[in-house]
Amino acid sequence: MNILIIGNGIAGSTAAREIRRRSDHDITMVSSESVYPFSRTALMYIYMGHLPFENTKLEADDYWEKQRIRLVKGEVQSVDFAHKRVHLVNRESLSYDKLILATGSVPQTFDWNGLDLDGVQGLYHLDDLTRLETASQRGITRAVIVGGGLIGIELAEMLHSRTIDVTMLVRENSFSNTVLPPEESEMVNAEIRRHHIDLRLETELKEITGENGRVSGVVLTTGEHITCNFVGITAGVRPNVDLLRSTGLAVRQGILIDAFGQITIEDVYAIGDCAELTVATPGRKTIEAVWYTARNMGETVARNICGQSTPYEQGVWFNSAKFFTIEYQVYGSVPVSFGSGVTSLFWQHQDQKKSIRLVYDANGKILGFNLMGIRYRQEVCTKWIEAKTHIEVVLEQLELANFDAEFSECHENELRKIYHQITGKNIHKKAERSLSSVVKFLTSWS
Amino acid sequence: MELNHQTLAVINPGHSTKLRIGQKLSLSLVATGLMGQLLFWLNHTLAQALPVLVISITLISLGSLTYTWQLYRHKQPGISNDYQFTNSLTAKGSVAWVLAMMLTVFYIILYWFPQWLGLGADGQANTGLIALYDPLSFALKGKSASQWFVYGSLYTMAIDLLGIKFIWKYRHSRYQVYRTLSIIFFQTCFAFILPEIMQSLNQPYFDLKNLWPLNYYFFFDWHLDGLIKSGLFGYFLLFWGLAGFLVFTPVLTWLYGKRWYCSWVCGCGGLAETAGDTFRHLSDKSQRAWKWERRIIYGVLVFVVVMTLAVITTRLTGFRNLFIIDSGTLAHWYGFLIGAAFSGVVGVGFYPIMGSRVWCRFGCPMAAYLGILQKYKSRFRITTNGGQCISCGNCSTYCEMGIDVKAYAQKGQDILRASCVGCGVCSAVCPRGVLRLENGG
Ligand SMILES: Cc1cc2nc3c(=O)[nH]c(=O)nc-3n(C[C@H](O)[C@H](O)[C@H](O)COP(=O)(O)OP(=O)(O)OC[C@H]3O[C@@H](n4cnc5c(N)ncnc54)[C@H](O)[C@@H]3O)c2cc1C
Ligand code: SF4
């Protein structure tokens, strides 16, 4: 069987790798971005000089040949579903028996004036990095970043590393407060400001101004004008489906897929950022544009193509990020506000750089963990959440989850104290932070 | 393909950190101190040794400490690897090559032409650089200095001053801070001060933490005779040396992995972790390098075992040709090839080009022995945190031993490699909290 994958991001690459592990099919992967798959999440580290592009590749170059996965560099112009052919911009065409669409996302833009000016760009693809580097070499003295998401804060850190003055425009009244509870969101605000970034909350862009085709500043909805010679647009991403809109494919925001990754057309699958689940698990989104989702979908589709019918399961949610120096991890469901039966136990370090939040429902069932500046072990948290463990049991054994480096301060006791203050109940520590206890826990009562 | 190259080309041009004026001043202090030593080396009759030594060491220390302070004081505690791949010193630029040349030449002089450093021949008074260190040597052991004393002093200074820099850089991580304090302690006390004091008490030179097979001359006649001559204390040292490699090493490695030695105690590792930290990302991560690593390091281990067996046989039976070649010749070549050329010239001289752990990774027989123990008889491993890896490559990049950590992490596999020295930097630089060093399992 001849399998063609469009897009070599983590979704496409995982699918290719996993199909090869399970079968002997012919596999071809096309991408317009780079021959060899690389990690998009590492773009910032290349710019900051932490590592070269080479080190962001998912595998050594010879891996793909050894695995007999053909890599083609080229841009797909159209897909002919009826004849099972894909046409590239360079007029070549490729046929397939099964097609996997893994085209990822593109930066979201609005109809602002001045988006086409030189010095205005998003950060998503490799050539965005090239453009950013070119602009930096030319000299950026002041940059404005529009949008305060995860990519926005990464871009701020990147520019900051080159001693560029950065202003960040955020529509909400606190950073990422649609994802983070208020206290955590405030910690990020503080961290941004500690790095001398001019963070403007509740501020919106009206238009971008230019001179001779180059950006010269931005105008806010308040009428204020900020002079700058670089504008980063990081107002989120949207599925990259433009290629497919005219084909009659079912597209909502993303390409609609069933639980098996399949779309309405036979032998065609969609995975990763470009795909949208027709039905999501309650409490979850139909599009979760993150690395892990793309990877899991790639694995699932490989199983299905190789005859092992497996529905895609959203599983217990997890994600992570780093806000300048503060690491962030989340497991399970962590709402941004509490009440109506959902309670949270929150401890914060006085330096505002560390916090732990445990979320549980009216019956004491643990729902989620939110960590700032502290690492927790995914398997342990997931197991507690799946087993609907009682908060008091979790508190007794909380050390099992701690994944911080040896000798780091443990703060689990603080949470037990806070629980005592709220409920009057004394909870005693019953587990140690050691690998053998963790292994024992993970292999016990499942 | 073109695009990749394009991207690289645009990313690479020597974009380096601009030094602030205060940093320049600090570096000039260091340079002046070194210059003073150099001038004295060229002509020791210019001035008295003691004031030059005191002033130059003070300048070097002061300059280094204030430089460190200025480098990190504006930075929030956290990972600071900006510009590592664009700065001439750290990205194999011209500065790196010049430094590598200078270090290499210094090692060649040290090992084979100590008279150029000013070593007095046949009991004559020292001149040059060695004469500069005579006052310190007299203070510590009541004897004039040798080239090894000068080397030890410079080595200890490098570990201490750059160790402090490392601690500052990683001040957010207790593991890194404690580990580096331990390195500084063992170098300063065990490798430098204690052996010198022991000599002043007419005891043999003995670095308690330098165990066979790293200390390849442990079973040499002159060494054993020296120990035996020193009576009870000598026998204690003999016992210590044997127990160190037969008992302490396996037990501690079982408990904690080879890191208890390689990144907490050892002097070679200590220099790599402190002075070499700036170059840790230069290690070769390819499969090919790993293949050569195994060939060479186990080759050296075999060499040291063969050589030692030959030497012991000769001592016990007088028979000199156990392995066809004369045991003295074997010992001589081991000392020249491995003890000097490999560990010194290549091991440290090439820091700025090949990374800081070339000796530890490819050459050290102790590391080979510890590595086998770690791989097959140890509780130590690095575990990965579920599916959190985003394949960014930071861990592999900053692994000084050239382990492709990411290859394991992105599959969610534990990392259990003979070469891992447990420095913990992969875990520290990981932006997603994926890696943890563990004892147990
Ligand atoms: C700067 C940045 C940082 C991020 N950090 C994180 C993070 O820390 N954690 C996290 O979970 N997620 C992060 N993300 C999001 C994450 O990278 C994406 O969710 C993930 O990469 C999606 O993978 P994918 O394979 O679906 O698509 P993509 O990685 O977007 O890959 C799609 C590929 O398809 C190619 N393609 C598209 N159309 C065509 C065509 N017509 N012809 C040929 N090729 C085509 C594209 O060029 C691209 O190479 C980050 C994203 C960015 C941009
Ligand atoms: S540094 Fe962390 S996230 Fe990056 S590749 Fe290594 S383990 Fe994965």
Side-chain angles (χ1 to χ4, degrees):
Chain A
M1 194 161 48
N2 175 10
I3 296 167
L4 180 64
I5 305 171
I6 307 181
N8 70 354
I10 186 64
S13 303
T14 308
R17 200 157 37 189
E18 295 295 316
I19 292 171
R20 173 54 70 243
R21 233 159 53 92
R22 296 179 162 77
S23 76
D24 218 26
H25 300 317
D26 285 332
I27 307 173
T28 305
M29 188 155 63
V30 207
S31 166
S32 53
E33 191 172 14
S34 63
V35 182
Y36 295 107
F38 73 100
S39 171
R40 187 171 311 294
T41 54
L43 288 177
M44 66 183 296
Y45 301 109
I46 303 175
Y47 179 84
M48 298 198 298
H50 291 207
L51 35 77
F53 172 73
E54 206 53 33
N55 294 19
T56 69
K57 289 183 181 168
L58 297 183
E59 301 286 349
D61 290 352
D62 58 1
Y63 171 89
W64 304 100
E65 203 185 313
K66 280 190 200 149
Q67 295 290 316
R68 289 173 291 114
I69 295 170
R70 191 158 77 102
L71 302 178
V72 175
K73 171 125 193 279
E75 186 177 347
V76 174
Q77 193 170 35
S78 61
V79 185
D80 180 350
F81 291 115
H83 299 98
K84 292 195 165 182
R85 283 199 91 78
V86 158
H87 300 282
L88 306 188
V89 170
N90 67 5
R91 289 166 183 258
E92 273 178 51
S93 74
L94 302 160
S95 65
Y96 64 83
D97 297 318
K98 287 200 191 275
L99 177 68
I100 302 177
L101 302 168
T103 53
S105 299
V106 284
Q108 175 90 274
T109 51
F110 299 89
D111 47 358
W112 290 307
N113 274 335
L115 282 175
D116 49 350
L117 289 165
D118 194 7
V120 181
Q121 66 166 93
L123 179 68
Y124 193 89
H125 291 106
L126 206 48
D127 47 342
D128 292 328
L129 192 68
T130 314
R131 278 199 288 159
L132 176 58
E133 184 62 48
T134 313
S136 310
Q137 304 275 332
R138 208 168 58 201
I140 304 176
T141 44
R142 185 173 189 91
V144 172
I145 295 174
V146 184
L150 299 181
I151 299 179
I153 196 167
E154 285 188 2
L155 184 57
E157 184 176 350
M158 291 159 74
L159 296 165
H160 174 76
S161 79
R162 302 262 181 117
T163 59
I164 295 167
D165 291 331
V166 180
T167 297
M168 226 173 143
L169 311 182
V170 174
R171 198 174 49 190
E172 293 77 26
N173 63 10
S174 186
F175 179 87
S176 267
N177 65 358
T178 51
V179 180
L180 297 172
E183 288 84 359
E184 283 89 334
S185 171
E186 182 50 40
M187 287 164 78
V188 183
N189 293 340
E191 177 72 359
I192 294 174
R193 292 192 167 122
R194 263 196 290 274
H195 287 83
H196 310 286
I197 307 289
D198 171 27
L199 175 65
R200 310 273 188 103
L201 300 172
E202 296 188 283
T203 308
E204 281 186 66
L205 178 75
K206 187 163 153 237
E207 61 173 346
I208 304 168
T209 60
E211 259 167 45
N212 308 326
R214 279 205 193 161
V215 58
S216 63
V218 296
V219 181
L220 309 181
T221 46
T222 54
E224 187 185 344
H225 182 260
I226 303 175
T227 312
C228 67
N229 47 6
F230 180 83
V231 174
I233 306 285
T234 56
V237 295
R238 65 174 172 84
N240 181 9
V241 292
D242 298 344
L243 169 70
L244 306 156
R245 280 212 187 270
S246 54
T247 57
L249 204 64
V251 172
R252 197 150 60 196
Q253 273 182 309
I255 307 164
L256 283 177
I257 55 169
D258 65 13
F260 299 90
Q262 233 166 336
I263 66 175
T264 39
I265 299 171
E266 211 179 332
D267 291 332
V268 182
Y269 300 78
I271 52 174
D273 276 16
C274 68
E276 177 170 2
L277 293 169
T278 315
V279 195
T281 313
R284 297 287 287 274
K285 295 194 182 116
T286 54
I287 302 182
E288 289 174 337
V290 294
W291 184 262
Y292 315 109
T293 304
R295 196 180 53 199
N296 289 347
M297 285 185 167
E299 251 176 67
T300 309
V301 93
R303 285 214 178 88
N304 285 312
I305 285 182
C306 299
Q308 201 185 334
S309 178
T310 320
Y312 170 69
E313 284 177 29
Q314 285 181 299
V316 172
W317 168 250
F318 70 101
N319 198 9
S320 57
K322 192 169 179 182
F323 308 114
F324 286 90
T325 63
I326 302 181
E327 287 175 18
Y328 156 69
Q329 292 182 334
V330 57
Y331 301 109
S333 129
V334 176
V336 296
S337 61
F338 301 91
S340 66
V342 179
T343 317
S344 91
L345 199 60
F346 181 71
W347 166 85
Q348 186 178 34
H349 195 272
Q350 61 204 28
D351 68 8
Q352 274 216 17
K353 289 184 179 182
K354 282 184 189 179
S355 70
I356 305 174
R357 184 188 293 276
L358 310 186
V359 181
Y360 52 101
D361 71 8
N363 301 322
K365 247 177 29 194
I366 190 83
L367 300 174
F369 298 78
N370 212 43
L371 294 312
M372 302 283 282
I374 285 178
R375 300 171 172 182
Y376 266 22
R377 200 187 276 274
Q378 183 184 0
E379 292 98 326
V380 174
C381 296
T382 305
K383 183 160 177 175
W384 278 328
I385 295 168
E386 280 177 341
K388 306 189 165 77
T389 312
H390 196 272
I391 176 77
E392 291 175 8
V393 179
V394 171
L395 280 171
E396 280 171 351
Q397 311 182 334
L398 201 52
E399 273 76 4
L400 289 178
N402 192 303
F403 198 70
D404 272 340
E406 291 151 292
F407 306 114
S408 338
E409 245 179 305
C410 281
H411 303 286
E412 281 68 33
N413 245 337
E414 313 283 341
L415 282 148
R416 286 186 280 263
K417 273 191 218 151
I418 297 173
Y419 190 75
H420 175 75
Q421 283 164 11
I422 299 175
T423 63
K425 286 192 203 164
N426 259 323
I427 309 283
H428 297 288
K429 169 177 165 180
K430 287 202 183 149
E432 286 304 325
R433 177 173 80 162
S434 80
L435 183 59
S436 34
S437 337
V438 170
V439 171
K440 217 182 287 165
F441 167 76
L442 287 175
T443 47
S444 71
W445 52 280
S446 16
Chain B
M1 210 42 179
E2 319 120 44
L3 190 69
N4 300 356
H5 286 152
Q6 243 178 44
T7 314
L8 282 176
V10 185
I11 304 291
N12 275 334
H15 195 302
S16 77
T17 21
K18 286 200 196 74
L19 291 174
R20 279 189 282 269
I21 181 83
Q23 287 171 313
K24 285 185 190 157
L25 279 175
S26 301
L27 288 180
S28 338
L29 290 185
V30 176
T32 316
L34 289 173
M35 212 45 192
Q37 301 217 343
L38 192 66
L39 283 175
F40 197 92
W41 182 356
L42 297 177
N43 188 348
H44 71 283
T45 55
L46 280 177
Q48 289 242 305
L50 185 62
V52 176
L53 185 67
V54 171
I55 293 174
S56 68
I57 290 184
T58 311
L59 286 178
I60 293 172
S61 311
L62 208 69
S64 160
L65 293 176
T66 50
Y67 177 75
T68 299
W69 178 68
Q70 299 185 61
L71 194 59
Y72 299 118
R73 103 192 133 110
H74 293 294
K75 293 210 175 114
Q76 293 296 320
I79 298 306
S80 44
N81 284 329
D82 292 352
Y83 302 112
Q84 284 295 86
F85 277 86
T86 49
N87 190 319
S88 179
L89 173 66
T90 54
K92 294 195 263 192
S94 42
V95 179
W97 282 98
V98 170
L99 182 65
M101 286 296 290
M102 280 164 50
L103 285 170
T104 306
V105 169
F106 176 78
Y107 270 93
I108 291 174
I109 296 178
L110 174 76
Y111 280 112
W112 296 295
F113 308 98
Q115 65 276 20
W116 293 359
L117 288 176
L119 186 67
D122 309 321
Q124 275 178 345
N126 289 327
T127 57
L129 190 63
I130 300 186
L132 180 64
Y133 283 82
D134 273 340
L136 183 61
S137 184
F138 273 107
L140 277 173
K141 59 178 170 185
K143 285 190 205 132
S144 61
S146 65
Q147 77 271 39
W148 301 120
F149 182 81
V150 175
Y151 179 52
S153 312
L154 292 170
Y155 199 100
T156 307
M157 210 149 63
I159 288 192
D160 292 357
L161 291 172
L162 295 167
I164 292 173
K165 176 167 176 272
F166 185 91
I167 289 178
W168 223 313
K169 177 172 169 190
Y170 286 96
R171 60 193 183 280
H172 61 288
S173 162
R174 283 198 192 167
Y175 182 75
Q176 298 303 338
V177 172
Y178 292 175
R179 186 170 71 78
T180 311
L181 287 173
S182 163
I183 287 172
I184 291 177
F185 168 79
F186 279 104
Q187 175 61 31
T188 314
C189 300
F190 277 54
F192 186 59
I193 297 177
L194 262 183
E196 300 300 341
I197 292 180
M198 273 156 63
Q199 279 178 291
S200 78
L201 301 172
N202 272 325
Q203 296 297 333
Y205 174 92
F206 199 92
D207 174 353
L208 287 169
K209 63 174 180 48
N210 193 9
L211 302 171
W212 187 88
L214 177 58
N215 178 355
Y216 60 91
Y217 56 73
F218 188 83
F219 294 100
F220 285 9
D221 275 345
W222 61 263
H223 188 250
L224 291 180
D225 290 341
L227 292 184
I228 291 164
K229 238 181 21 218
S230 322
L232 206 57
F233 187 62
Y235 280 102
F236 164 73
L237 293 179
L238 189 63
F239 167 78
W240 173 274
L242 289 174
F245 119 84
L246 286 172
V247 183
F248 303 158
T249 301
V251 170
L252 287 169
T253 310
W254 178 72
L255 286 172
Y256 306 115
K258 79 199 263 190
R259 58 182 169 153
W260 76 268
Y261 192 74
C262 295
S263 64
W264 283 73
V265 171
C266 176
C268 308
L271 192 73
E273 292 296 337
T274 53
D277 173 60
T278 329
F279 307 111
R280 60 168 55 247
H281 54 283
L282 299 176
S283 59
D284 189 338
K285 316 299 191 294
S286 67
Q287 290 278 332
R288 199 180 42 127
W290 186 16
K291 194 151 86 189
W292 280 105
E293 168 193 318
R294 283 171 297 185
R295 284 181 188 158
I296 301 173
I297 196 168
Y298 296 120
V300 173
L301 183 63
V302 171
F303 191 179
V304 79
V305 169
V306 165
M307 183 272 286
T308 304
L309 284 178
V311 168
I312 294 175
T313 308
T314 308
R315 182 179 180 87
L316 295 180
T317 67
F319 182 58
R320 300 191 61 88
N321 291 339
L322 180 61
F323 296 97
I324 304 154
I325 306 169
D326 175 82
S327 62
T329 315
L330 265 180
H332 172 79
W333 279 100
Y334 186 91
F336 172 75
L337 285 175
I338 312 295
F342 202 157
S343 80
V345 181
V346 181
V348 181
F350 291 8
Y351 265 21
I353 304 303
M354 296 176 70
S356 51
R357 287 270 193 179
V358 173
W359 161 248
C360 312
R361 180 181 178 193
F362 294 96
C364 176
M366 182 75 185
Y369 171 45
L370 286 160
I372 295 173
L373 291 171
Q374 167 157 292
K375 177 100 203 207
Y376 299 104
K377 276 277 162 278
S378 174
R379 308 186 310 159
F380 172 77
R381 66 215 48 232
I382 301 178
T383 59
T384 52
N385 196 359
Q388 288 279 23
C389 175
I390 52 169
S391 304
C392 69
N394 273 295
C395 52
S396 301
T397 304
Y398 289 92
C399 176
E400 53 188 353
M401 296 304 280
I403 300 173
D404 190 357
V405 184
K406 164 169 122 176
Y408 301 84
Q410 65 186 2
K411 294 189 208 120
Q413 293 170 347
D414 285 1
I415 296 127
L416 227 180
R417 281 274 292 267
S419 64
C420 175
V421 292
C423 70
V425 169
C426 58
S427 159
V429 297
C430 173
R432 295 295 177 269
V434 177
L435 304 160
R436 183 164 195 269
L437 279 58
E438 319 250 14
N439 306 312

